Amino acid sequence: MPQSADKVLDHASLFCEPEYRNLLARKKLKFECPRPREVVSYQREFTETWEYRERNLAREALVVNPAKACQPLGAVFAAAGFERTMSFVHGSQGCVAYYRSHLSRHFKEPASAVSSSMTEDAAVFGGLKNMVEGLANTYRLYDPKMIAVSTTCMAEVIGDDLHGFIEAAKNEGSVSIDFDVPFAHTPAFVGSHVDGYDNMVKGILENFWKNTERVATPGLVNIIPGFDGFCVGNNREIKRLLDTMGVNYVFIQDASDQFDTPSDGEYRMYDGGTKIDDVTVAKHAEATISLQHYNTRKTLDYCRELGQTTASFHYPLGIGATDEFLLKISELSKKEIPEAFERDRGRLVDAMADSQSWLHGKKYGIYGDPDFVYAMARFVMETGGEPTHCLATNGTAAWEAEMKGLLATSPYGGGAQVWAGKDLWAMRSLLLTEPVDLLIGNSYGKYLERDTGTPLVRLSFPIFDRHHHHRFPLMGYQGGLRLLTVILDKIFDRLDQETMLLGVTDYSYDLTR
C-alpha cells in the first residue's frame, strides 16, 4: 500500500492509488451485486428527462436530501446567543452529537451542548430521572448562568412534560428554585430548525417576561436576527449600523462572539451573547424587529400580545431590503439615517453598474430557508438576474404566495418558479431540464454541481467544505458588496475554466474583464 511514514497521503489522493482502485473494484464486483453498465447508464439518462422530472416533483411519501434540519438544532443555536447559557437537550446523546457537529463543522468552533442521555429505559418509563440528574450535572460541571432545555423525537413521542420535570428537578435540588431554566418543546419530526429557533427564543423571553409589568421605553428597539449561519459577520454589521445611528437597542440572541472566539491561549466555553439583564429590559422595548420573519413568527406574536410594535424582514441584504430596514429603524427610534450610509448605498449601486454586463440576464437556482431564498431572489433581480428556480424545503404556502408577489414586481421574475416543500433531488431535476447559470445555497449543493454542471455559490448554512465565509456579512450595503463579489468571482472562475485550453478555447482567456 502507498501509505507509509515516508509517504503520507491525504484520503483525497490516497484512494486514487492503483492498489485502492483495484480493491474497491473487486469489492464492488463481489459484494455489491452491480447492475450492468448499460442499465445504470439508461437509468441515469432517464433521471435527466422531463418525464422523470414530473414524477420526481409529484413525490409525496419520500424526501431525498431536504434543504433543512430539525427543530432541536435551531434551539441549540438559539441558546448559544445568550450570556453563559448551556443548551440542554432532553433526548439521546446521538442526537446532540449531530447538532454539535453540524454547528462546529460550519463555524469551525466548538459548539457546546449537553444531553439528558435518554436510552431504552427512559423511553419506557419517562425521562424524569435523566432530567433531575442531567440538570444537576450541567449546573455543577459547566457553571452556566442559564440552562436552556429543548427536546428530541424520543422525549416528544413519549410525552415528557418539560415544565413539570424542571420543577421536579428544582425541588430535588438539581438547581436552585430561582435558577433560570427556560424550555421549549422542539419535536424533530415536524417543522424545521427555523421553528426550533423560534420556539427556543420565545421560551427564553417568556421565562424572563412572564408575571412582570411592562413599562414601555420610547425609542428602545429589540432586534432578533433569526437562525443565521452568517451571524458572525451579519450581527456585527447590523450592530455597526445601529451604533452609528445612535439607536437604543437590545440585540436578542447574539451568537456572533460564541462562534468566533479568539485563539489567545484562553478557552472560552461561553463568550458574548445577549446579557441576561438585557433580556429582562427588552420587555419594555417600544418595538421588536425580526431580521427573518419565518424564523420568529411565534416570538413576534408573543411580543405583540404584550403591546410591542413588531416588524419583520426577509434577511435584509441588497439595496431595497437594506433601505426598508434602515427606514423602519429610523421611524421607530426617531434617529436620522447618517449620510455615510447613503454613500455606502451609492457605492453598492456603482459596483452593480460596473459589473452589469456580466450579471444581466444570468439565471439562478436558489435554495435554503424561506427568508434567505426571498432575499437572494430580490437581490439577483436588482442585478438584472433571473431567479429561475426558488426552492425552500421548509417553505409554506404563505411563503410561496409571498415569493410570487415579489417576483411579480420585476420583469426579471417573470419566468421564475417557486417550490415550497421540495428537496434537493427535486432541484436536480429542475436544473437538468431547465438549466441555469448559477446555483446558490449550502455545501450540499456540491453534488448538484457535480451532477448538473451548475456552478455553486455557497451562501447559506451549512458550509462544511469551505472555510470562514461566515465571518463576512451578507446583510446591509457592505454585505451586498461582499455578496456581489462572491457571485462575480464564480462567474469569472467558470469563464476561465471554459476558455483556457491552449489554442482551442483560449481566444477569450482575457486578462481584463
Side-chain angles (χ1 to χ4, degrees):
M1 292 294 178
Q3 193 76 294
S4 69
D6 297 324
K7 185 182 179 183
V8 178
L9 300 177
D10 179 77
H11 74 278
S13 54
L14 177 65
F15 291 105
C16 293
E17 293 290 322
E19 295 90 339
Y20 279 99
R21 285 185 178 276
N22 292 333
L23 185 147
L24 293 171
R26 291 195 303 271
K27 172 182 175 293
K28 182 176 183 178
L29 183 63
K30 188 173 181 179
F31 297 106
E32 296 181 10
C33 303
R35 301 286 288 170
R37 288 186 179 181
E38 297 78 12
V39 175
V40 174
S41 296
Y42 171 79
Q43 290 295 338
R44 182 183 294 113
E45 292 170 6
F46 176 59
T47 65
E48 300 177 5
T49 64
W50 276 88
E51 180 184 355
Y52 181 82
R53 165 179 163 155
E54 296 306 314
R55 297 186 185 186
N56 191 8
L57 294 174
R59 276 186 293 119
E60 295 181 357
L62 174 67
V63 177
V64 183
N65 202 7
K68 67 171 186 175
C70 59
Q71 281 206 51
L73 175 66
V76 171
F77 175 83
F82 293 89
E83 178 188 14
R84 293 190 66 84
T85 297
M86 178 58 73
S87 185
F88 182 103
V89 184
H90 187 44
S92 69
Q93 292 183 15
C95 292
V96 180
Y98 157 66
Y99 315 139
R100 294 180 61 189
S101 65
H102 225 61
L103 293 169
S104 64
R105 287 169 179 170
H106 173 84
F107 290 108
K108 312 305 179 193
E109 292 282 347
S112 298
V114 298
S115 166
S116 60
S117 302
M118 292 177 67
T119 54
E120 291 84 351
D121 59 338
V124 175
F125 300 109
L128 176 58
K129 180 181 178 182
N130 300 69
M131 178 71 73
V132 171
E133 295 179 356
L135 288 179
N137 290 336
T138 303
Y139 182 76
R140 292 165 189 164
L141 288 173
Y142 304 115
D143 189 28
K145 199 165 186 176
M146 178 168 70
I147 300 174
V149 179
S150 55
T151 54
T152 65
C153 297
M154 182 188 298
E156 290 295 328
V157 167
I158 64 178
D160 278 357
D161 174 16
L162 289 186
H163 179 265
F165 282 15
I166 292 169
E167 291 301 309
K170 287 185 174 184
N171 291 333
E172 293 195 29
S174 297
V175 297
S176 60
I177 295 295
D178 59 350
F179 186 80
D180 291 305
V181 187
F183 65 91
H185 286 276
T186 54
F189 44 79
V190 295
S192 72
H193 56 286
V194 302
D195 301 292
Y197 177 94
D198 192 9
N199 289 331
M200 191 75 256
V201 172
K202 179 175 180 285
I204 290 173
L205 296 185
E206 283 182 319
N207 178 79
F208 291 98
W209 292 2
K210 64 184 178 184
N211 302 324
T212 62
E213 183 179 355
R214 176 175 177 267
V215 180
T217 302
L220 178 61
V221 179
N222 297 327
I223 306 292
I224 307 176
F227 188 104
D228 185 10
F230 280 71
C231 66
V232 172
N234 281 338
N235 289 8
R236 291 170 182 169
E237 176 63 12
I238 294 297
K239 287 189 288 184
R240 183 187 71 85
L241 297 175
L242 298 172
D243 290 338
T244 302
M245 289 180 66
V247 176
N248 183 19
Y249 68 94
V250 175
F251 205 99
I252 295 176
Q253 200 280 313
D254 180 12
S256 57
D257 288 342
Q258 180 64 39
F259 289 122
D260 190 31
T261 58
S263 183
D264 56 4
E266 177 187 352
Y267 171 67
R268 297 169 175 83
M269 178 170 287
Y270 312 103
D271 198 18
T274 306
K275 293 188 178 300
I276 301 301
D277 290 343
D278 289 343
V279 178
T280 302
V281 170
K283 180 176 183 177
H284 309 298
E286 184 175 1
T288 293
I289 290 179
S290 168
L291 303 185
Q292 296 191 69
H293 172 75
Y294 289 98
N295 286 245
T296 52
R297 287 165 288 178
K298 292 181 181 178
T299 302
L300 290 180
D301 287 344
Y302 177 58
C303 293
R304 278 193 295 271
E305 290 171 4
L306 296 178
Q308 295 181 355
T309 300
T310 63
S312 59
F313 296 87
H314 298 296
Y315 209 88
L317 55 83
I319 295 171
T322 303
D323 290 351
E324 292 173 4
F325 171 71
L326 292 176
L327 287 170
K328 177 57 71 172
I329 289 291
S330 178
E331 173 193 335
L332 294 173
S333 66
K334 307 299 188 294
K335 301 290 184 179
E336 295 292 326
I337 298 175
E339 182 182 348
F341 292 0
E342 297 179 23
R343 295 179 67 83
D344 286 343
R345 184 186 192 276
R347 291 183 181 111
L348 177 56
V349 173
D350 181 67
M352 287 181 171
D354 290 343
S355 306
Q356 191 270 342
S357 61
W358 295 102
L359 295 167
H360 181 80
K362 286 289 187 290
K363 296 180 182 293
Y364 296 80
I366 306 169
Y367 67 91
D369 290 339
D371 293 294
F372 172 80
V373 175
Y374 186 101
M376 284 304 312
R378 186 176 186 179
F379 178 81
V380 300
M381 288 193 296
E382 288 181 338
T383 69
E386 301 175 18
T388 306
H389 307 301
C390 301
L391 183 149
T393 306
N394 48 0
T396 62
W399 170 79
E400 186 172 338
E402 200 169 11
M403 280 294 302
K404 290 179 178 178
L406 168 70
L407 296 167
T409 64
S410 169
Y412 303 114
Q417 302 172 82
V418 182
W419 303 98
K422 300 301 182 182
D423 52 37
L424 294 189
W425 188 250
M427 176 63 88
R428 180 180 181 274
S429 283
L430 299 174
L431 297 177
L432 287 167
T433 51
E434 293 182 88
V436 298
D437 298 295
L438 293 169
L439 178 65
I440 295 177
N442 59 27
S443 285
Y444 288 98
K446 72 184 301 176
Y447 302 107
L448 296 175
E449 182 176 37
R450 178 192 62 189
D451 287 359
T452 69
T454 312
L456 171 65
V457 185
R458 295 162 175 81
L459 289 170
S460 68
F461 180 89
I463 299 175
F464 294 152
D465 59 339
R466 299 292 186 272
H467 289 204
H468 310 307
H469 288 215
H470 64 277
R471 299 180 192 274
F472 301 92
L474 300 180
M475 292 183 182
Y477 304 127
Q478 294 286 354
L481 191 58
R482 164 73 179 172
L483 179 58
L484 183 72
T485 304
V486 170
I487 291 174
L488 285 166
D489 280 351
K490 180 61 72 170
I491 292 172
F492 294 139
D493 285 344
R494 176 51 66 101
L495 186 57
D496 282 345
Q497 292 171 13
E498 294 173 346
T499 57
M500 66 167 56
L501 193 58
L502 187 63
V504 179
T505 63
D506 64 330
Y507 300 106
S508 294
Y509 191 57
D510 298 327
L511 179 63
T512 303
R513 291 193 167 120

